[in-house]
Amino acid sequence: MSGDGSWRRVSREGRRFLRGRYRSLRRLALWSLLESAHTFLGGYAVARALDDGFLAGRTGTGLGWLAVAGAGALLGALALRGVFAGLADLVEPLRDGLVRRSVRQAIGRAVADPGRAGDAGAVSRLTQQTEMARDSFAGLVLVARSFVFTALGALLGLAALDPVLLVLVLPALLLGTAGFLATLRPMARVQRAALDADEALSGRAGELAAGLRDVVACGGGASAGAPVERLIAEQERLTGRLARWTALRTLALGVAGRLPVVALLAGTPWLLGRGVSAGAVAGALTYLVQSLLPALDALMTAVGAAGTRLLVVLDRFCTPQSDSAAATTAPEVAPGVGAGPGVAVELRGVWFAYGPRAQPVIDGLNLTVGAGEHLAVVGPSGIGKSTLTALIAGLLPPGGGTVRVAGAPAQGVTRPGPDLRRTLLPQQAYVFTGTVRENLTHLCPGPVSGAEVERATAALGSDGLVDRLGGLDGAVDPARLSPGERQHLALTAAYLSPAPLLLLDEATCHLDLRTEERAERALAARPGTLVVVAHRISSAARADRVLVLDGTRAVCGTHAELPARSPLYRDLVGLWNARG
């Protein structure tokens, strides 16, 4: 598929989307006019403060103009508040529309080809890619709007100071911008091709993994591996092309972001000779350094990264089903055969032992966990609860039987990066040296907005801890955190993860009862499936079902019915009640 076709298709859909939202766009534009006023006053007030104030010996006048510049900063803050209030009117309808389109596409593919109804790519489009599109679109709207109205205020200010200033500034600015725009479509084509090659490699590797024993037995390793080698070579070639285009983009950024300042400084003697005042030159430099060039740099960075990513992702939603070969022939995880609809986890005849002669820890276990279900696992220490979560997480291969997650083998091939199918939180929470934001979003494959992180911390009750650590940009030193604080951060990261299956292996054991309850209820309300290895019966009481492992048999049922079916569970409940 050509990049130009992708561009036209996404552009057509984008115009259709924006046509119905003129009211939201007008609201953003009106608030952004205040930002233009803030930019205009910033440079103009500096020029007047020098020419009419300090250089003329009138200190009070100079201070007055600087106060005007300060008032302009307040206008900019007020504008930013209004912009964020109106941004949701554009961003959330986009996400909702993509979710609806993803569901329609998945249903259409299932009807057209029932054998591929378990297409895992639909899950990626419904979760990861819709969120990626929303975040990228929000970032682009913010920086594009900021650049347009900042540039308007800056250029009007330059013209008001002296039109000859534009003669020095505009040529370099336009040259760098034109060079940057020339790289957009080629980079989008390369990124799209790289994404297709990556998905094709994942699909091919999954097919080989499923029949690896037969391939080796037949001596067909070389012929079976040749397509994989070609795909790897294609990825290497595309990476080289992407690096070359990135170098050209960096050069364009340098021309647009640095050359105007150099031209203004080099032309200062000429400007002063033509009667341009020192204050006007200082005001022009203020416009460039504080307003115009930072806005241009932010725009180019956002368009270069989020823009091309948004183009590739949106093209997946805009592509007709018959033309979306990558989405239908190379899913990220090979779909399972015979998986029931709405099944998150399926174990059939599973047994596992730590050694060929050891007693099995799990013996002949059959279990089905529905999508969206909240399951608690209880039992004595060492009975196999952590082993069960490791089997579901794909960390251990079953000694017998099958373990499937979302219809695919638990140890199936996945893409590099965070696991898009499941997230496992062990008892020892993983927290690393870095910022709070990095610790909370490392399970997310794409960027996460600050508002989304704040909603997660509020839902989990970890906002107080985040504030004590210095906010989202505060530093995290794992050695200075208590075990409970580390678990609180890890649980918030799991909440933000796009994985539809969460596995908590006593991941709340260092939390108090109230904090544990709040965290588990928030994680259960999150879209997806929750499996909790419970160390308190209160956790089991909150679950939809409880799996009791007692060493000889496994019993599954609700908290209310299990005391009559499992003596072990009855004893555990009685012991918990006796302790109050």
Side-chain angles (χ1 to χ4, degrees), residues 312-335:
V312 172
V313 171
L314 289 182
D315 184 50
R316 306 226 158 215
F317 290 93
C318 298
T319 302
Q321 292 181 21
S322 60
D323 197 29
S324 184
T328 57
T329 62
E332 294 177 357
V333 181

Side-chain angles (χ1 to χ4, degrees), residues 338-361:
V343 174
V345 178
E346 187 177 30
L347 290 83
R348 288 289 174 262
V350 173
W351 71 271
F352 180 86
Y354 289 99
R357 298 185 179 180
Q359 290 293 323
V361 181

Side-chain angles (χ1 to χ4, degrees), residues 91-184:
V91 174
E92 295 307 323
L94 174 72
R95 178 188 177 278
D96 295 343
L98 292 179
V99 168
R100 288 192 294 269
R101 179 167 295 193
S102 177
V103 172
R104 287 197 300 267
Q105 288 179 344
I107 294 175
R109 291 188 183 98
V111 172
D113 188 358
R116 302 196 65 88
D119 182 8
V123 178
S124 174
R125 286 186 292 275
L126 188 61
T127 55
Q128 176 194 355
Q129 295 185 28
T130 54
E131 294 302 322
M132 186 185 300
R134 182 184 68 172
D135 293 343
S136 299
F137 180 66
L140 284 174
V141 170
L142 282 178
V143 297
R145 172 211 57 81
S146 177
F147 171 74
V148 168
F149 288 93
T150 297
L152 176 64
L155 294 177
L156 287 177
L158 289 171
L161 293 177
D162 198 312
V164 74
L165 293 169
L166 296 174
V167 176
L168 287 178
V169 170
L170 275 182
L173 195 65
L174 294 176
L175 177 63
T177 303
F180 168 77
L181 293 176
T183 67
L184 286 182

